[in-house]
Amino acid sequence: MTLRQRPGSVALPPPAPEGFPPSPVSPGQRLRQAANLLNGSTLLGLAVAVAARCRITPGPRGLLLAGGYRWRLPLARAFTLGNVVLCRGSAGDLVSRPTLLGHEEKHCSQYAWCWGLPFIPLYLAAAGWSVLRTGNPGTANIFERRAGLAAGGYPLPAPAGARKGRTVS
């Protein structure tokens, strides 16, 4: 008789997937998980991952990692919908890049702060503003700046004196 078959026994959680160190989930991360589930953004992320035939695995800090994303848009190496981080490579590749994973995790929190799906048009407006100002969708995008430009692979803004024909001494 196994633990799950014994009356009154407690089922043990499944072991962490191979290559993923077990990581505790903080109360704040659990709150973010619940908020993004309730606001529908994580459900959208799971729907996109399933439609794109991604392999979904549990990740660290309450994230869901969807590896093998092959659709053309967005062009990013990784992007976030709720608590789901979709990436072009495998989930293991993403975990091996903790700076990028941390950047995407910050976007998960931004979904929660924006009450879920309103984050998408807000993000697109910020990306459009950034393109108009810098020619790049991330450099002047408030969401990317708060998540860390370098961590997300975006160019840093030019020094103030180096803009539009000014010389830097």
Side-chain angles (χ1 to χ4, degrees):
M1 188 177 258
T2 67
L3 265 178
R4 292 183 184 187
Q5 295 170 331
R6 290 187 193 136
S9 66
V10 176
L12 299 174
E18 186 178 328
F20 292 102
S23 65
V25 179
S26 74
Q29 292 162 344
R30 287 232 185 267
L31 181 61
R32 179 185 65 211
Q33 254 182 336
N36 284 338
L37 189 60
L38 290 172
N39 67 34
S41 59
T42 294
L43 296 176
L44 175 64
L46 289 170
V48 169
V50 168
R53 297 184 178 181
C54 294
R55 182 165 186 226
I56 303 168
T57 57
R61 301 180 300 279
L63 302 176
L64 295 170
L65 307 180
Y69 181 81
R70 298 281 180 255
W71 289 357
R72 293 181 123 197
L73 295 174
L75 299 173
R77 178 178 293 180
F79 70 100
T80 305
L81 290 169
N83 261 37
V84 181
V85 181
L86 296 102
C87 57
R88 297 200 176 275
S90 71
D93 293 340
L94 184 59
V95 170
S96 72
R97 299 178 53 125
T99 305
L100 178 59
L101 184 59
H103 172 89
E104 296 302 329
E105 182 180 5
K106 288 176 185 174
H107 287 314
C108 295
S109 297
Q110 291 169 350
Y111 270 95
W113 281 110
C114 292
W115 297 343
L117 299 178
F119 174 79
I120 295 171
L122 291 170
Y123 180 91
L124 293 173
W129 173 251
S130 179
V131 168
L132 288 174
R133 294 207 51 224
T134 68
N136 180 283
T139 302
N141 181 329
I142 186 67
F143 297 106
E144 293 299 347
R145 291 175 69 93
R146 298 252 177 197
L149 290 175
Y154 293 99
L156 299 175
R163 293 187 190 160
K164 299 208 178 187
R166 296 183 189 152
T167 58
V168 179
S169 357

